[in-house]
Amino acid sequence: MRIGFHSGPVIQRDNDVFGDTVNLAARLVDQAQKGQIVTSHQTVQQLSPAAARVLAQAVLDHDQGQGRQGELCELEWRPVSDAINDPGPRPEARSAAAALRLSYRDLRLVRRRQNDSIVIGRDASCGLVIASQNVSPLHCTIERRHDSSCSRNHSTNGTFVTVEATAILLRREAMPLGTHGCLALGEACAETAEVVAYFLD
């Protein structure tokens, strides 16, 4: 087991949370080794006095898709003899991961970082805004995971995923997307012009 956590404001919708705080927590999990509990220096400063050590400078945060350097800290919970043998944080990814590309009308969005996500919905705070009465304020999230992507629906109207001419309706659930297809929010792709195409390459 490995643990990464961070504190800060989040956007909550039903049983899901979104935002930069969530993205950074996921980034910290990627940095942790087996048996490690890692967090940001910012979070350590808010904790009660505890044994923590700075491990390294790492690209931790997201700011409009850009990484930012920050201190990676480990909470020491094991005996000292075990901690000494710890190999330390994971190095940055050694090879370029596949890019997730979204296309909506004239807009093109790309997500390259591991665990990057984008919220699609009617609300102005969403990464991709679709102004339609069938679209919920925070309708669904598309997230990159390793060399794949998945869509998680948050809306009662559902998210229609079409892959190779097969349409699947998501309701309060997530599914892997494959390498290409399209999404429609609240109604089927064949019944609306508000279609988001996705590609993983």
Side-chain angles (χ1 to χ4, degrees):
M1 176 168 298
R2 50 195 173 92
I3 298 172
F5 70 97
H6 180 57
S7 62
V10 298
I11 301 169
Q12 183 173 0
R13 175 73 173 179
D14 299 322
N15 294 323
D16 262 315
V17 289
F18 316 94
D20 290 341
T21 300
V22 178
N23 290 339
L24 178 51
R27 183 71 170 159
L28 288 164
V29 172
D30 284 344
Q31 292 289 323
Q33 287 286 331
K34 178 181 177 182
Q36 274 189 321
I37 302 175
V38 300
T39 187
S40 63
H41 187 259
Q42 172 188 337
T43 302
V44 166
Q45 291 179 318
Q46 300 179 53
L47 298 175
S48 300
R53 64 186 177 116
V54 176
L55 292 174
Q57 288 282 332
V59 179
L60 297 179
D61 208 353
H62 297 276
D63 183 12
Q64 298 299 321
Q66 298 298 316
R68 187 170 62 199
Q69 289 286 334
E71 286 186 342
L72 180 66
C73 299
E74 178 185 17
L75 296 186
E76 297 182 345
W77 60 274
R78 295 164 295 182
V80 174
S81 59
D82 290 344
I84 290 174
N85 295 324
D86 198 315
R90 293 182 173 192
E92 291 296 306
R94 288 179 290 274
S95 60
L100 171 64
R101 304 178 189 277
L102 303 179
S103 176
Y104 170 67
R105 297 193 176 213
D106 295 329
L107 184 63
R108 304 290 182 269
L109 300 173
V110 179
R111 291 293 184 269
R112 299 181 185 279
R113 291 183 175 279
Q114 194 64 257
N115 299 319
D116 263 3
S117 63
I118 183 167
V119 180
I120 305 175
R122 197 174 67 242
D123 192 86
S125 66
C126 293
L128 176 54
V129 178
I130 298 180
S132 170
Q133 62 180 3
N134 292 319
V135 178
S136 299
L138 302 175
H139 197 104
C140 69
T141 301
I142 299 180
E143 185 174 76
R144 280 200 58 254
R145 289 287 185 182
H146 303 291
D147 288 328
S148 64
S149 59
C150 72
S151 176
R152 182 179 300 277
N153 176 69
H154 314 295
S155 168
T156 54
N157 292 335
T159 299
F160 291 81
V161 181
T162 300
V163 181
E164 295 181 355
T166 300
I168 301 168
L169 174 60
L170 299 184
R171 291 187 182 276
R172 309 291 183 185
E173 57 191 332
M175 70 167 282
L177 293 178
T179 56
H180 60 87
C182 64
L183 304 173
L185 283 56
E187 52 190 334
C189 292
E191 299 171 1
T192 179
E194 310 298 330
V195 174
V196 180
Y198 66 85
F199 308 86
L200 189 69
D201 52 26

